[in-house]
Every structure is written in structure tokens, then in C-alpha cells.
Amino acid sequence: MKQLNICLILAPTVLLRTPPIGIAVLKSTLKEQGYITKAFDFSIKYYREHKFLSLCESWIHYLISSFNSLTTIKYANFLNAHLIPDKYINSIMKTNSNVLCFSIYRTNVLVSLYLAKEIKKRKPTVRVIFGGPSCSSKKIQTIIKRENVVDDIIVSEGEIALLKVLQKKSNPNKIINIHGPRDLNQQLNPDYSDFNMKYYGGKFNYSASRGCPGNCSFCFERKSFGKFRYKFAKNVIQDLIDIKKKYNPRSISFTDLSILGTKDNLENFCELAIKNELHLFWGGFIRPSVLNEEILNLMFNAGCRWLNFGIESGSKKILKHMKKDFNLKQAEFLIKNASNIGIKVNISIVVGYPTESWDDFYYTLKYIWRNRSYINEVHCFTACLEEGTTLTNLILKLKRGKNNPYFWSYKNNNIIIRIIRWLIVKLLCFFSIKK
């Protein structure tokens, strides 16, 4: 069998400012199996060369892929042909790869298709595989299949699925859904050797778990990752020690939906970080239900310097509908304590949830105002319909609005109301959050 030369690609424009951990893990996996592998992060290069344009294009591509009409796709292809540098295509061609693997997000699927088409014009025998966070979306799959340049579409985690795909002949537009590794403790450390670390300012991502122990009605993580799994704290510590020796990162951002997955694992990690003198700043998303004052102090001593709390709403009713598992008063207590000991606090808010009334929205504004002295940043989002979630299934069952992530309606809740509420939150934060 011919030796496979594999190219892993993150195309513009993904708003990531850290080395792409998914591609780095795949590189480690492929190298262990003896494959020749080269990885490219064109997204960070494009961002550094065209910062403002990159940000604008990211939102344009996101909206175009959401609408998924032939007219908007043609417009995107026109943009890509004029804006995406040929040097990216030339860099891929120089590797002489016979397999191209693209990491797909909603904001870069159209650019990825453009690059794949241009390379296939020059090398028709090349095999193109798409995988990544957005490939599980039926709408994204439709866009991919329409262009007829992709051989395989992996909708699950990549490590096991990609190895199995490479052992078989290509099958145009075939959907591959194979569960990822059940035991993350056997996972190899990410290989970042192909990336220019100066581009990322010393910031690294690390994944200690997959899926989520929660079951929020608007979240698609359970569909994407299946059963919740996590690495043991001792293995995480060893991984971070190795990463520190190789790359000397300035900080580590955990990509977990709740850092380290469980309360016990988080405590063990902090104790081991102190014992092993890890001396790394880190942070990430956290569920209030796993925290208390003692754990917060332990986290700070272990290097935690920022936390993102998924508050989502200041209304008890809405939190119940969202299936959130924490108490608002307890979360408020934790936010104050975290801020007081020196941990930067960010919170996320979702406005326009289907059952959110103006009274519920007012409770959210009050919550932000009341805690403004302790919050560094508020990330506000409008409620959007992600495929396969409890929320989406409910709205579509009621046949409310179009089958679009944004243009849905429910009673007195519509896109105009959601945008107005989003703007009000932004204004409140602009004048009240001073950190």
C-alpha cells in the first residue's frame, strides 16, 4: 500500500488565538501510527496579516453558512477567490500530501471547501477529509456535499475515526460516525511542533475532559461527544509538565465545559499542581455546583487566575427551563469570593431564551448590576438553535419560525426582541463593568 502523506489544516477564519489542540492531538496520533504528517494553522496567519478583515470575514462566513443558500455560497466563493492568498495553497502543495484533513468550523467551512477545490484542480488524486466541531450539523453537511470535493466527512471525535478512514478506500461524501477514545488517560499529548509559538503569545489550550456532566437544554456537547469522560489529575499534571518543558507556555486555558470535569478531580489537580510546583497560570469554564470557598482558595494557590461562570440568566424560572444545576445566590457568593482572592471573573449570559419574559430579562440585568464590582467581563449571546438540542427539538416540533439558528419565534420572542435585549446588556456592561 502506498505510504500516506497527510496534511492537517485549519483554514481561515476561526477566532482562535491559541494553537489548535484538535489538530495537534491528531498529529500525535498519526505520527505514532507511522504516518508522515504536516500541520498548518492558516487561520492565525491570516489573522496576523489581516486582523480587521479576518474578524469581518469570520462573521460573514458564519451568517452565510447559517442561511445556506446558493446565492450566499456563490458570494462567499467570490470573496475567497479574491482574499485567500495563493501562498496557502502553495504551502500545502509543497508537502506532496495525498491526504488533506480539514478542521471544520462554521466560520471556515467555505474557505476550506475553496482550498480543497483549488488543490484538487492541481492534484485530482488527493483525498480530502473534513472533520471537526461543525461537521455534525446537517446544514454544514449539505454545504459540503453540494461542492462535491470531499471524500469523507467525520462527524465524531477524530482520533479513532480518522485512523479507520485511512485504512479504507475513499467514498465521496460518506458520513463517518465512530465514537472517540473511551479512556482519555490513554490519549497522547498534543504535538505542536509544526506551529510558530510566537504567533500565540504563550497561550495554550488543554483538554482534560470531553462532553459535559450537565445537560443544559441549549447545549449540543452531549450530541457531539456522547458519554462524559475525563483524564485523571495525575495524568493532566504530567501532560502539563511535558508541555511546559517543550513550549514554555505563559498560560493554559482548559477547554473543558467544567475544568477537570469533577469536583474531586479538580481538587486532586490543584493539590498535585502545588506539590509538583507547576508554576503555570490557568483557567477556564466552571460549573458553580462544583465550587466552594475552600476549593477557590486551593485553585488560586495552584495557579488559577481566571474563571468563566455559565450564569446564563438571573431568573430562577429560566435556569430551571435551561436545566441548570446551581443556585443563583450560591453562584453570587462564589463570584464575589473568586474576585476578592484575585481570580478574574467572566460570566456568560444568554438572552432571548424562548420562555424568557421582560421580567425574567430584568432579573438578569439586576444580577449583572448587583455583581458589577466583581465581574471583569460579560459574554452575552442571543439564544440560538443548535441542531439536536432539547431546545431546538422543542421549537421545531412547535413549528415556530424558520429552520434557522437565529430566525425562530416563540410567542412574543423573536429575533428583534433578542437583538434589543442583547444591546441592552452590552450597554449596561459598557457603563458598569469597569475592570
Side-chain angles (χ1 to χ4, degrees):
M1 185 178 177
K2 185 180 178 181
Q3 173 68 48
L4 292 181
N5 192 338
I6 302 168
C7 194
L8 304 171
I9 304 159
L10 180 65
T13 48
V14 180
L15 298 180
L16 293 177
R17 304 293 171 259
T18 53
I21 187 171
I23 285 179
V25 169
L26 287 178
K27 181 174 172 65
S28 298
T29 304
L30 292 168
K31 279 179 66 177
E32 188 191 41
Q33 297 299 316
Y35 292 108
I36 301 170
T37 310
K38 176 68 176 177
F40 290 104
D41 182 0
F42 292 129
S43 187
I44 191 67
K45 288 184 178 180
Y46 192 76
Y47 174 77
R48 287 172 61 85
E49 294 165 358
H50 313 281
K51 188 172 183 179
F52 179 73
L53 190 60
S54 175
L55 294 171
C56 292
E57 280 193 76
S58 179
W59 285 107
I60 290 171
H61 281 291
Y62 188 91
L63 292 171
I64 288 174
S65 63
S66 297
F67 283 102
N68 185 20
S69 71
L70 284 173
T71 303
T72 54
I73 300 298
K74 287 180 180 178
Y75 172 70
N77 289 335
F78 173 81
L79 273 180
N80 293 333
H82 287 79
L83 297 176
I84 301 303
D86 284 342
K87 62 182 178 181
Y88 297 165
I89 298 170
N90 295 333
S91 295
I92 296 170
M93 293 298 298
K94 284 178 182 177
T95 66
N96 199 30
S97 298
N98 41 28
V99 180
L100 307 181
C101 301
F102 287 84
S103 181
I104 301 302
Y105 293 77
R106 194 182 291 272
T107 57
N108 80 341
V109 59
L110 298 172
V111 180
S112 299
L113 284 167
Y114 169 76
L115 290 174
K117 281 189 291 185
E118 291 301 310
I119 292 167
K120 275 210 167 185
K121 286 179 186 177
R122 305 182 190 192
K123 190 175 182 180
T125 58
V126 73
R127 183 176 183 179
V128 176
I129 301 172
F130 274 22
S134 292
C135 281
S136 59
S137 164
K138 294 288 194 298
K139 189 165 289 188
I140 296 299
Q141 290 173 21
T142 301
I143 294 172
I144 294 171
K145 290 178 181 179
R146 185 186 289 148
E147 297 299 316
N148 203 32
V149 294
V150 178
D151 297 287
D152 306 278
I153 306 170
I154 297 175
V155 301
S156 51
E157 297 161 79
E159 300 100 308
I160 295 175
L162 181 56
L163 291 177
K164 289 187 178 294
V165 167
L166 293 173
Q167 293 167 6
K168 298 178 181 179
K169 291 183 178 181
S170 64
N171 191 345
N173 287 328
K174 184 177 181 181
I175 304 293
I176 311 296
N177 189 354
I178 300 171
H179 289 298
R182 295 192 177 189
D183 185 4
L184 295 183
N185 293 289
Q186 304 301 318
Q187 185 187 61
L188 297 172
N189 228 358
D191 184 340
Y192 295 112
S193 58
D194 287 337
F195 304 126
N196 187 337
M197 291 302 145
K198 293 179 181 178
Y199 289 174
Y200 307 100
K203 298 177 182 178
F204 275 66
N205 280 348
Y206 182 84
S207 177
S209 66
R210 291 188 185 174
C212 183
N215 190 25
C216 299
S217 62
F218 56 84
C219 183
F220 61 91
E221 290 293 328
R222 283 205 169 192
K223 179 189 175 185
S224 298
F225 292 104
K227 186 178 179 182
F228 170 66
R229 294 147 288 155
Y230 62 89
K231 284 186 182 180
F232 298 140
K234 63 179 182 179
N235 294 326
V236 175
I237 289 292
Q238 188 56 56
D239 284 353
L240 294 183
I241 289 173
D242 292 343
I243 288 174
K244 186 177 179 181
K245 287 179 180 178
K246 286 182 181 178
Y247 308 110
N248 192 29
R250 186 162 55 88
S251 63
I252 298 289
S253 183
F254 284 91
T255 62
D256 315 336
L257 291 185
S258 189
I259 300 175
L260 275 297
T262 69
K263 179 180 177 180
D264 290 343
N265 207 41
L266 176 58
E267 285 187 89
N268 290 339
F269 169 79
C270 292
E271 290 168 355
L272 289 170
I274 295 168
K275 181 180 178 181
N276 287 274
E277 298 181 346
L278 187 61
H279 297 311
L280 271 177
F281 290 152
W282 53 272
F285 291 95
I286 196 73
R287 296 164 65 224
S289 56
V290 304
L291 292 179
N292 56 41
E293 190 175 2
E294 183 181 350
I295 294 175
L296 278 173
N297 281 292
L298 182 64
M299 290 169 70
F300 179 81
N301 292 332
C304 179
R305 290 299 180 269
W306 72 92
L307 288 173
N308 302 316
F309 289 84
I311 301 299
E312 319 306 0
S313 175
S315 165
K316 293 179 182 178
K317 181 192 84 177
I318 297 303
L319 290 181
K320 184 177 180 181
H321 291 179
M322 289 179 172
K323 298 183 180 178
K324 302 293 285 186
D325 62 351
F326 67 89
N327 179 286
L328 278 169
K329 287 186 177 180
Q330 175 66 6
E332 194 167 342
F333 171 79
L334 294 168
I335 286 171
K336 291 177 181 178
N337 272 274
S339 179
N340 287 336
I341 64 175
I343 296 176
K344 177 183 175 182
V345 173
N346 304 321
I347 70 169
S348 62
I349 294 293
V350 175
V351 297
Y353 194 81
T355 53
E356 182 186 69
S357 66
W358 281 104
D359 285 343
D360 295 316
F361 177 63
Y362 175 66
Y363 294 143
T364 298
L365 297 180
K366 282 181 65 178
Y367 197 87
I368 295 171
W369 178 259
R370 195 165 57 243
N371 295 286
R372 65 191 183 281
S373 300
Y374 308 100
I375 297 172
N376 291 79
E377 194 171 352
V378 176
H379 303 289
C380 185
F381 309 92
T382 58
C384 131
L385 303 185
E386 296 288 355
E387 291 178 30
T389 65
T390 306
L391 172 61
T392 302
N393 293 338
L394 170 64
I395 298 299
L396 294 182
K397 184 178 180 181
L398 294 173
K399 298 181 179 178
R400 300 279 185 170
K402 302 174 183 178
N403 185 13
N404 185 285
Y406 303 102
F407 293 89
W408 55 270
S409 61
Y410 182 85
K411 296 184 179 178
N412 294 323
N413 187 335
N414 56 49
I415 183 64
I416 302 299
I417 296 295
R418 293 192 287 277
I419 290 174
I420 289 172
R421 291 178 184 173
W422 180 83
L423 287 171
I424 292 172
V425 170
K426 286 293 183 181
L427 284 170
L428 174 66
C429 295
F430 179 78
F431 290 107
S432 64
I433 306 295
K434 301 298 183 183
K435 292 192 175 184

